[in-house]
Amino acid sequence: MTVVRRGDPLDVRDVEDVADLVRKAGGRLTGARRAVVEALFAAKDPVSAEEIVDALGGNVDPASVYRNLERLEELGVVRHVHVGHGAGVYGLARGRERDYLVCERCGRVSEIEPTKLEQVREDIRKVSGYEPRFSHFPIHGLCRRCARGGT
Amino acid sequence: MTVVRRGDPLDVRDVEDVADLVRKAGGRLTGARRAVVEALFAAKDPVSAEEIVDALGGNVDPASVYRNLERLEELGVVRHVHVGHGAGVYGLARGRERDYLVCERCGRVSEIEPTKLEQVREDIRKVSGYEPRFSHFPIHGLCRRCARGGT
DNA sequence: ATACTTGCAAATGATTTGCCAGTGT
DNA sequence: ACACTGGCAAATCATTTGCAAGTAT
């Protein structure tokens, strides 16, 4: 399978889109693979590998789920982010890259348009020299709701 | 042992400072505990539990190192941050809380004055409603040096 | 003497890997 | 047919927990 440059805007609409990409890369759309992709389409928010396994009724082995997520990520179809201490969560690449915010209290994962963080990125560059990336290791903190009820 | 409110400015100068805090909280400054504290004083940058074990020549069990780091963190003497996929790194609380930046390429962990990120925090609040915290889950990205050589 | 601590072994949780049988194309 | 994949068991990595023996105070 070939790899896609990270950041490539890639949009998948349905399982067939994914099937095309997989085959084009020399891969096969097996039952397990299709099931994982369907689970991802069914989920509104990013989900963990374990949640995918559960959603599939345990019919697909965790190892296969991980391997498929890995391959799909190489194809640019899937992206994952790290949420606090917990398991990584995976989601379909719907269009351009997204940045994320994670609530350390309630665990919520919120997407945000990278453009909205441009000023933030600029300021961080200025004060630290670092070029920040919030797509893989997101911004952690307290969401609006949790920020209210105590710290 | 009693706990300290998170964020309390606490400054430890030497092992004796820590010993006082530990005893004051009903704890004991055992050989293993003292060794872990000394290893932390000896390290310039935050270190992983495994690095502490190694630095101590394997004379202290990993479980004890973890337990000590946990207790010392409860006392406000130690803080830890999560670096990429790797193990957490621990450091002594030298004065006020610090924020961190991690380079995803070279692994470097840089401290930064929280005040320097005030504008950043403000902007994030504005665009997302989140109250960010970079002390536990730091900002990830590319440090100045790594940002130069390709992406 | 008391109860906080330690080392050691075993358990966890998340993810990876080896291997061989199974199956898309 | 061919080699990409799947399931299953076992291995890894970081960290935690159970427990009986050890030791600061």
Side-chain angles (χ1 to χ4, degrees), chain A residues 83-133:
Chain A
V83 178
H85 294 103
V89 291
Y90 303 74
L92 289 168
R94 304 176 187 282
R96 55 240 107 57
E97 187 157 334
R98 299 294 172 78
D99 284 336
Y100 297 90
L101 293 126
V102 175
C103 180
E104 294 186 12
R105 166 76 64 64
C106 70
R108 183 192 337 199
V109 179
S110 309
E111 280 191 8
I112 186 171
E113 274 293 329
T115 54
K116 290 193 178 174
L117 292 176
E118 204 31 69
Q119 185 60 52
V120 168
R121 249 184 273 280
E122 173 60 27
D123 285 342
I124 290 175
R125 257 181 239 122
K126 197 180 311 171
V127 300
S128 72
Y130 272 68
E131 177 62 47
R133 263 186 64 199

Side-chain angles (χ1 to χ4, degrees), chain B residues 1 27-28 30 32-33 59 64 67-68:
Chain B
M1 284 199 200
R28 296 164 191 189
T30 63
R33 188 110 85 204
N59 296 312
S64 297
R67 278 190 284 232
N68 276 310

Side-chain angles (χ1 to χ4, degrees), chain A residues 37-87:
Chain A
V37 174
E38 282 169 351
L40 288 170
F41 270 108
K44 347 79 226 80
D45 291 312
V47 288
S48 68
E50 188 185 11
E51 288 172 321
I52 293 175
V53 171
D54 291 347
L56 299 180
N59 296 313
V60 179
D61 193 87
S64 297
V65 170
Y66 278 108
R67 278 190 283 233
N68 276 310
L69 290 171
E70 186 184 348
R71 277 157 191 63
L72 292 169
E73 193 151 13
E74 288 172 352
L75 291 176
V77 172
V78 162
R79 295 177 191 142
H80 79 274
V81 298
H82 295 279
V83 178
H85 294 103

